[in-house]
Amino acid sequence: AAESLQGASRSDLDDGQRTKLDRLPSLRLEADSLQGQLDDEERHRLRVEAEQKARDAASHRRRIAEWSALSDGTTIQGFRAGADQDEYACPLCAGPLEAATACAPCRHVFCRACLEDALSSAADRSGGDPRSINCPLCRAALFDASNDRMLVEPAATVRKRMRKRKCRCKCGEEVALSSLRAHLRHCSEAAPGLFADDERKRFGHEFERPRLDPDKIAEMAGRKRRGGGGG
């Protein structure tokens, strides 16, 4: 190492050692410069991390305030968030129902996208077991293995009633309850922190079936999987 040569007399060093010794000041400068860059990068990382935490905390506080206002009727006249507050609030997300979808066996109603997400997650956790496809509230079975179909359907009566019920946003606009979520998604005066990133599907789309294992469907139905054997 060049530093080990510092105490030696130059006359006792060979050419290679003297070259190393001569380079020592520039190497120190390079090392100091590199350390300075690393320190700057670390300070920048910590600053960015602190700023992101502050933004997240502010966003969380804003969401809490917006949710409180939506729950107590301050934001919308004619709707209160929470299934215990309003019959047209989704039991899963607590916001206004959108594309209201009913579980056929029990008639519990959810936003279609909320129910799709809940059943998709249940299917993924179970490895595609159709027995996991149940109503999130009462656990009623929502998959008919014998006919290979989902037991869900548009909640037509709920949708009709929601189209007739009017609400007034704090921005002054009057909207049908059926369109309230879409309005909240874009209204900067209502609850942008709650619904700005909320992507929903249009009313006309079909229910998205979760990914299920065909073998487990056949097992549940009590029959062999079609095309599974030879002879």
Side-chain angles (χ1 to χ4, degrees):
E3 292 189 358
S4 65
L5 303 175
Q6 283 186 293
S9 172
R10 291 184 67 85
S11 60
D12 295 333
L13 302 176
D14 59 31
D15 291 342
Q17 291 174 324
R18 282 193 289 271
T19 299
K20 290 182 179 180
L21 189 61
D22 291 340
R23 290 189 57 205
L24 186 57
S26 64
L27 291 174
R28 284 175 173 169
L29 287 174
E30 291 177 9
D32 290 343
S33 176
L34 179 59
Q35 185 61 52
Q37 292 178 20
L38 293 175
D39 291 342
D40 288 343
E41 290 176 0
E42 178 63 10
R43 283 192 291 270
H44 177 71
R45 184 189 68 80
L46 293 174
R47 183 171 63 254
V48 170
E49 186 177 273
E51 290 172 351
Q52 184 60 53
K53 286 183 178 179
R55 285 194 296 270
D56 291 344
S59 176
H60 182 65
R61 290 192 297 270
R62 185 173 63 251
R63 287 174 65 87
I64 290 176
E66 289 178 354
W67 192 257
S68 177
L70 194 61
S71 299
D72 64 19
T74 303
T75 301
I76 301 293
Q77 295 178 15
F79 176 81
R80 290 174 179 254
D84 59 337
Q85 299 266 29
D86 198 295
E87 63 177 318
Y88 297 115
C90 174
L92 293 177
C93 71
L97 286 166
E98 186 170 51
T101 298
C103 302
C106 59
R107 307 311 301 171
H108 286 131
V109 179
F110 307 88
C111 295
R112 185 179 59 215
C114 288
L115 185 57
E116 288 174 342
D117 290 346
L119 299 185
S120 178
S121 295
D124 290 344
R125 289 194 302 269
S126 68
D129 190 341
R131 285 178 287 265
S132 69
I133 306 305
N134 304 310
C135 170
L137 288 183
C138 68
R139 311 308 298 164
L142 299 181
F143 186 75
D144 178 359
S146 298
N147 295 297
D148 193 25
R149 68 186 183 94
M150 297 292 299
L151 300 178
V152 298
E153 60 192 25
T157 300
V158 172
R159 293 187 185 189
K160 182 178 180 180
R161 290 174 179 170
M162 290 181 71
R163 285 194 293 270
K164 291 182 177 180
R165 180 168 158 181
K166 302 299 181 181
C167 302
R168 184 170 296 278
C169 177
K170 64 186 296 185
C171 71
E173 183 174 343
E174 184 180 80
V175 295
L177 183 56
S178 58
S179 304
L180 178 57
R181 198 179 195 107
H183 175 79
L184 291 172
R185 195 173 297 139
H186 301 292
C187 180
S188 60
E189 295 186 36
L194 294 176
F195 301 104
D197 299 325
D198 179 22
E199 295 183 2
R200 298 280 164 168
K201 297 177 181 179
R202 295 186 179 276
F203 279 68
H205 290 188
E206 294 182 2
F207 189 88
E208 184 176 331
R209 173 172 160 164
R211 292 186 295 272
L212 299 175
D213 187 323
D215 290 325
K216 292 180 179 179
I217 293 175
E219 178 186 352
M220 183 178 177
R223 65 175 187 268
K224 292 184 178 180
R225 180 183 176 186
R226 292 180 178 177

